[in-house]
Amino acid sequence: MRTLRGNPWLPISASVLFLGSLAASGEASKRVPVTDPAVLASMGFSPDARNVYQLLGPPAKPLEVERGPGAKYFGGTSSGFSGKLGQSFQGRFSSFAYGNMTGLGDIYNTNPGTENFADVEVDVPSGAEIEFVRAWVNDTNAVHNITVFFLEVCQPMFDEGDYVLTTLATMTSNGSGGDQSLVSSTSLDSANSNSCVYKFRVRFGNNANIGPGDSSLVIQKVRAQWRRTVSPAPLVATFPVDVPTTHPFFRFVEALASSGITAGTGPGTFGPDDPVTRGQMAVFLAVALGLDHGF
């Protein structure tokens, strides 16, 4: 297996076919290759790495989606969160060394000359839209800042293949005022956790292997905010008799059918205006939620 020259952390990828498979969701067209050696190094990759991409700039999403303190985050249309404390981060190499400032889960790098990056994975459900990523940091350094990247690392779902990497968001501390909460939206329409993992990468300083090596740059916590979504509508109707492609509920009925939750009421029919019995409701809920595994 080929490896990134000068960086054994990750194999290089020649998996153009895998990127092509993302085109169905519209994601492949948004990904632009990163070839500038300085930019690659600043993100923690070998300067001659291949198959590293960046997602085109985030859309103009209002930060009000986060809704702020006091909001109620529950229900099918609300956001979910996946977070990690600073001490969950691990260096790419065994030379990574850290100290902690409060003993509550935050860390700072003590060996920047050898390893100035650290990574942590977060769980995101397949099909979810990643709305925002946020990082809590402490920056008291007048020269260096702390930068946090949000990365997608993919391989084919079942077949062999090398890695394809995409930077989805970048956040950098500003000034030396201490505690900061950094936020960025992403333009990832749909997470693909079947083939990909999602991780945060922190850089302790302005350059690849140059940093203060002390508690003036601290990573405290990171978090991904995501929202479950319904799959895009297919081109052909499963129930063309009464739920054709033009029906207002077409997309949602198709999602139920493709998930095995409903088989309709007869050949080509779903009965969108028929009442649902308690028994039918029990089938819908039990199959959709995978209920009752009390062995």
Side-chain angles (χ1 to χ4, degrees), residues 47-284:
D48 56 358
R50 292 183 293 168
N51 279 12
V52 177
Y53 296 82
Q54 282 186 301
L55 212 59
L56 293 179
K61 293 182 180 179
L63 290 180
E64 286 75 14
V65 171
E66 290 193 312
R67 293 181 297 215
K72 296 179 179 179
Y73 289 100
F74 57 83
T77 61
S78 197
S79 299
F81 299 90
S82 301
K84 294 285 186 178
L85 289 173
Q87 279 190 325
S88 300
F89 280 82
Q90 294 183 328
R92 303 165 306 165
F93 309 115
S94 60
S95 57
F96 180 69
Y98 67 88
N100 61 68
M101 190 172 180
T102 66
L104 299 176
D106 55 5
I107 64 169
Y108 56 89
N109 188 16
T110 60
N111 193 18
T114 301
E115 169 61 307
N116 206 28
F117 297 87
D119 297 347
V120 66
E121 294 182 17
V122 291
D123 293 326
V124 178
S126 272
E129 175 193 4
I130 301 177
E131 299 175 301
F132 293 93
V133 288
R134 187 175 283 275
W136 286 260
V137 305
N138 184 279
D139 180 353
T140 58
N141 193 292
V143 176
H144 287 279
N145 293 315
I146 191 166
T147 297
V148 180
F149 306 96
F150 187 60
L151 306 175
E152 179 189 66
V153 186
C154 301
Q155 284 183 288
M157 185 172 178
F158 296 111
D159 297 329
E160 69 279 356
D162 291 330
Y163 292 95
V164 174
L165 302 103
T166 305
T167 300
L168 304 178
T170 303
M171 302 169 284
T172 302
S173 61
N174 182 24
S176 55
D179 290 335
Q180 299 180 33
S181 181
L182 315 176
V183 65
S184 174
S185 59
T186 80
S187 53
L188 187 69
D189 296 334
S190 180
N192 181 8
S193 297
N194 297 329
S195 301
C196 309
V197 296
Y198 296 89
K199 63 167 58 182
F200 287 92
R201 167 169 292 178
V202 59
R203 187 183 73 213
F204 296 90
N206 297 343
N207 303 102
N209 288 311
I210 301 175
D214 58 32
S215 60
S216 61
L217 294 178
V218 176
I219 181 73
Q220 299 167 328
K221 186 177 75 171
V222 291
R223 186 183 72 191
Q225 175 180 325
W226 44 267
R227 182 177 61 86
R228 295 184 187 276
T229 61
V230 177
S231 297
L235 299 177
V236 179
T238 303
F239 309 109
V241 175
D242 53 9
V243 187
T245 58
T246 55
H247 195 283
F249 298 143
F250 171 66
R251 177 188 178 194
F252 306 98
V253 172
E254 290 295 334
L256 287 180
S258 65
S259 300
I261 296 171
T262 182
T265 57
T269 62
F270 175 72
D273 299 317
D274 294 348
V276 176
T277 68
R278 290 172 64 88
Q280 291 168 332
M281 181 184 67
V283 173
F284 287 167

